[in-house]
Amino acid sequence: MPALVAPRWRTAAGLLLAVALLSRLFPSTVQAGAPLFDSGRAFEHVRQLVAIGPRPAGSAGAAQARRYITAQLTALGLPVIEQSFIGQTPIGPVTMTNVIARIPGARAERLILASHYDTKLFREFRFVGANDGGSSTAMLLELARVLKTRKNPFTIELLFFDGEESVIAWTGNDHTYGSRHYVAAAQRDGSLRSVAAMVLFDMIGDRHLTIKRETDSTRWLNDLIWASAQRLGERAFLAEDFAVEDDHRPFLDAGIPAVDIIDLDYAAWHTKDDTLDQVSARSLQTVGDVFLGALPHIEARLRR
């Protein structure tokens, strides 16, 4: 169970008061009637994904996770596109599938929100990836619910990558199969030109959340996200830098502004201990609130 659970408004009057207060503080963030980010719902998505078990690319677990993601998006009325491809891995070709859903906006240009849903392949122990794969996938599913009823100036694309994890070791091209395929395909068909920016979530559920600025990420995106954290008084977003190779790299290489929101200071990373008890609903709430606080400012920057 999570260490801290975000408080719930127990009455309709309390909910209306909360929306009114947030609207005054961040008038472009909260829209009348729009749902608020619910970390309880997000945590339940993590629980459901962990219950599936290991979900490495090409496995039955990955297919089951994909069905779960699709069912959640379909229930929101969002059509789902499956982008299947063959990943050339050190153990041979593996069929992988990215999952894509779009929330229409006033403009056709897309703001991509992304995560990977696969887990690292381990044969020596059972790896369920509660934080590494589970938490960020849950974040996207809950953001889909929140943003579905919002008046979005840009089309929001929810992009669930397969094959982020290495099959053997993170060397050469043995990693980020899904994001590399997506960008290459979008370059070939010309659709990459309509991508305005990309926000990547990865490992954001750690109960001891510490998020540092990823230095390869686009600076202005980092700045807006950290400014949102400061406004909200969220101390988990630290004034420290580090660099990491992740699913945002193919977008950066293609000239797309991109940012990676990730907590790599995680003792259970790629161990059998990356289990549900390591994930906190409070951490999910923190990241959801900070991103939603930054979103109007990101959109305003993109409209320039």
Side-chain angles (χ1 to χ4, degrees):
M1 295 298 292
L4 293 173
V5 177
R8 296 177 182 270
W9 294 93
R10 298 184 180 277
T11 66
L15 179 58
L16 290 173
L17 176 60
V19 172
L21 289 173
L22 286 170
S23 297
R24 285 190 176 185
L25 289 171
F26 310 108
S28 56
T29 302
V30 178
Q31 297 174 352
L36 303 177
F37 189 91
D38 185 340
S39 58
R41 290 174 180 268
F43 188 83
E44 176 61 18
H45 290 312
V46 180
R47 192 185 71 79
Q48 293 287 345
L49 291 164
V50 168
I52 293 171
R55 307 175 297 281
S59 69
Q64 190 174 346
R66 193 159 57 248
R67 288 194 293 273
Y68 178 79
I69 293 167
T70 298
Q72 298 305 308
L73 296 171
T74 301
L76 292 172
L78 298 176
V80 173
I81 300 170
E82 291 194 352
Q83 183 186 53
S84 295
F85 63 99
I86 304 298
Q88 300 299 330
T89 81
I91 62 172
V94 174
T95 300
M96 303 182 185
T97 304
N98 295 329
V99 179
I100 306 164
R102 291 175 182 168
I103 302 173
R107 298 188 183 193
E109 294 101 317
R110 289 170 287 146
L111 173 59
I112 292 177
L113 309 183
S115 163
H116 73 94
Y117 70 89
D118 63 309
T119 57
K120 178 83 172 78
L121 174 64
F122 290 104
R123 302 189 189 281
E124 59 271 34
F125 58 84
R126 188 171 185 268
F127 181 70
V128 298
N131 191 30
D132 193 4
S135 66
S136 55
T137 299
M139 175 62 59
L140 252 61
L141 289 174
E142 175 57 7
L143 285 175
R145 185 188 71 87
V146 173
L147 298 175
K148 173 67 168 57
T149 59
R150 180 177 181 267
K151 293 181 180 178
N152 300 295
F154 292 86
T155 296
I156 302 289
E157 181 168 308
L158 304 158
L159 180 49
F160 301 80
F161 293 122
D162 199 357
E164 183 266 355
E165 299 284 6
S166 63
V167 175
I168 302 296
W170 196 287
T171 57
N173 286 328
D174 186 17
H175 53 77
T176 59
Y177 293 92
S179 54
R180 289 188 290 112
H181 175 82
Y182 179 94
V183 170
Q187 286 175 320
R188 287 194 298 270
D189 65 20
S191 61
L192 195 67
R193 290 192 295 269
S194 65
V195 177
M198 181 262 209
V199 177
L200 175 66
F201 299 92
D202 194 357
M203 296 174 62
I204 42 78
D206 181 2
R207 62 168 57 241
H208 305 294
L209 190 67
T210 53
I211 298 180
K212 302 175 183 178
R213 291 171 61 108
E214 200 287 308
T215 53
D216 289 337
S217 297
T218 302
R219 182 172 179 175
W220 66 262
L221 279 167
N222 263 336
D223 288 345
L224 292 179
I225 290 166
W226 258 253
S228 174
Q230 186 174 32
R231 286 193 301 271
L232 293 171
E234 294 293 359
R235 298 180 180 179
F237 283 71
L238 306 180
E240 299 179 30
D241 297 337
F242 83 116
V244 64
E245 188 173 13
D246 206 345
D247 278 321
H248 65 316
R249 170 50 58 186
F251 290 83
L252 290 170
D253 290 344
I256 303 297
V259 63
D260 190 5
I261 303 175
I262 182 171
D263 175 7
L264 267 180
D265 187 12
Y266 180 56
W269 181 46
H270 285 183
T271 74
K272 63 180 176 58
D273 297 321
D274 187 4
T275 49
L276 190 62
D277 61 308
Q278 299 300 316
V279 174
S280 164
R282 179 68 185 92
S283 296
L284 296 169
Q285 190 73 48
T286 294
V287 176
D289 288 345
V290 167
F291 169 71
L292 288 171
L295 179 57
H297 302 277
I298 292 171
E299 292 165 332
R301 172 66 184 253
L302 293 174
R303 281 196 295 261
R304 294 179 186 175

